[in-house]
Amino acid sequence: MSVPISSAELLNKIREAGLEAPETLTLMITGKCNLTCLHCLLNCRENNSSPVPADVVKRMIKEFLDISGKSIWFTGGEPLTRSDWFEILEFAMQYEFEEVGLQTNAMLMTEEDLHRLQTLPLNKLSLQISLDGVSAITHNALRGEGSFDIVMKVLKMLSSTDLACRTAVAFTEMRHNYHELPDAVYLVNNLGLSRLVSGTVVRSGKCTQYGWIELPAAPQVNDLLDKYNNDTSFHDAYEQSGNISAIEWFKGKDRKTDKLCTCMSTPFINSEGELFPCIMYLDKSFAEGNIHEISLAEAILNGLSKWKELPLTADRRSNLPECRECPGHDHCKGGCVGRAAVVNGTPMSVEDRCALRKIVYNWKD
C-alpha cells in the first residue's frame, strides 16, 4: 500500500485535472449508529457494518496528511459506538492538522468523555452536534423519543466547559422545523457555543420513505428573511453565531462566484472504504475504492479520469434554461452538481433548492 508517486506529483496531477487539492477529509469510522434517524442520507443503523479497523483508520489519517490535508472530520454512523473513538481523535491530534473534528449525535456522550476531550489541544479540536429542533416534538420526530432531552443535557454540560467555543450545532432544515431556526440561533448564543450550522435536507436515502419530510416552503423562507432584515435582536444574534443557508445566500447574492464546484477539496470516505471526490457527490458511479485495501493516493489516481468531468459539468449547469434569467445566476451558477445527481439521479437536472434560492434572490423588504 505504498504511495505510487510523491505527494507533490499527486497534487500536480489533481490540479492538472482541473480539481482542487484535498483540504478537508470526512472519514466514516463506522457505519453503525445507535439511532435510526428518518432523514439519514447514508441509512445508518444499529446493525450496520463493523467499525473500520483501527489500523486502517490510522493509515488513512497519515496518508491524508501526506498529501497536504489540512483538516479531518470523523463521522459515522455514530463514532461513539466505537470503544476507541477517543484514541482515534488523540492519534490524529499528534499530527499537523489545522483542525480535527468529531461529528456526533451526542446521545452516548458522558461527563467522563467531556473531561477527556478537554485534555486534547483545544486550538484545533472541533465538535459538531446534531440538533434538529429546539423542541422535543420537532427533534424527536426524526431521531426518536427521548433523544431531545439527552442531547440538550449534553449541550448544557458543554456550555460550562472550555469545549463550548469549539462546539457547533448542526441543524437540518425541513418544513416541520424551519420555524425554529431563530430560536436555535438564540440557543447557541445563550449556551456560549460557537456556531449554528444549518443546511437543507437532502431528499435522498432513507428520508424518501417519509413523504412528510420536505424542504422548507417559500413562505417560511420569506418569514426568515423578514426577521433577519427587520428584527435587530435576531440580526445581531445571527451575526454572532449563525450560518443558515437562506440567509447566507441572501448575504452573498450580489457577489459573483468564480468557481462553484470545489471537488475534490472535501473528499469523503464511507465505512466500506469507498472514496468520493466530494462529501456532497455520493453517486456510487463516482466512488473509488477500496481504500481499506489500497492507498489513498492510488485511489485518487484511479479516480481522476472520471472526477475531472465534475467541474466541467458544474460549469454547464450554469446554462440550464431555469438558470439563465435568475437574478442570482452569478452567485448560484446552477447550484450543487453533487446534490442534483444524488437527489434527481442526474447531474444536469435542476437542483432541488432552486425554487428556494429564487425566493431569496428576489426577496425585497
Side-chain angles (χ1 to χ4, degrees), residues 80 83 85-87 108-120 153-154 157-158 161 163:
L80 270 63
S83 60
W85 66 268
F86 181 79
E87 286 71 26
L108 302 176
M109 192 166 282
T110 65
E111 282 193 71
E112 180 184 353
D113 293 331
L114 298 185
H115 289 312
R116 289 199 295 170
L117 285 167
Q118 289 177 85
T119 67
L120 298 174
K153 179 181 177 181
V154 172
M157 286 194 299
L158 276 164
T161 72
L163 296 167

Side-chain angles (χ1 to χ4, degrees), residues 314-349:
D315 287 343
R316 290 196 298 271
R317 285 182 55 79
S318 66
N319 289 315
L320 288 170
E322 294 82 359
C323 300
R324 291 172 191 157
E325 302 303 322
C326 177
H329 176 274
D330 288 345
H331 178 252
C332 176
K333 291 198 168 179
C336 175
V337 60
R339 186 176 178 115
V342 169
V343 174
N344 302 320
T346 170
M348 287 304 294
S349 59

Side-chain angles (χ1 to χ4, degrees), residues 32-44:
K32 181 178 180 179
C33 191
N34 55 309
L35 297 179
T36 54
C37 301
L38 305 189
H39 60 315
C40 181
L41 182 60
L42 301 172
N43 202 19
C44 299

Side-chain angles (χ1 to χ4, degrees), residues 214-264:
E214 299 177 274
L215 271 65
Q220 293 178 303
V221 175
N222 266 319
D223 288 347
L224 181 67
L225 292 177
D226 286 343
K227 190 170 185 65
Y228 173 74
N229 285 286
N230 298 313
D231 183 331
T232 302
S233 174
F234 174 63
H235 184 281
D236 292 346
Y238 181 86
E239 293 303 313
Q240 179 179 332
S241 64
N243 191 316
I244 298 171
S245 53
I247 295 177
E248 293 306 302
W249 298 337
F250 176 80
K251 291 168 69 175
K253 66 179 182 176
D254 295 324
R255 293 197 301 266
K256 183 176 181 178
T257 301
D258 292 329
K259 190 174 184 180
L260 184 67
C261 183
T262 56
C263 175
M264 59 175 294

Side-chain angles (χ1 to χ4, degrees), residues 15 21 33 54 63 82 118 134 154 158 183-184 187 263 275 309:
R15 295 187 181 104
C33 191
E63 289 181 350
R82 293 184 63 127
Q118 289 177 85
V134 293
V154 172
L158 276 164
D183 285 337
L187 174 70
C263 175
L275 170 65
E309 298 299 320

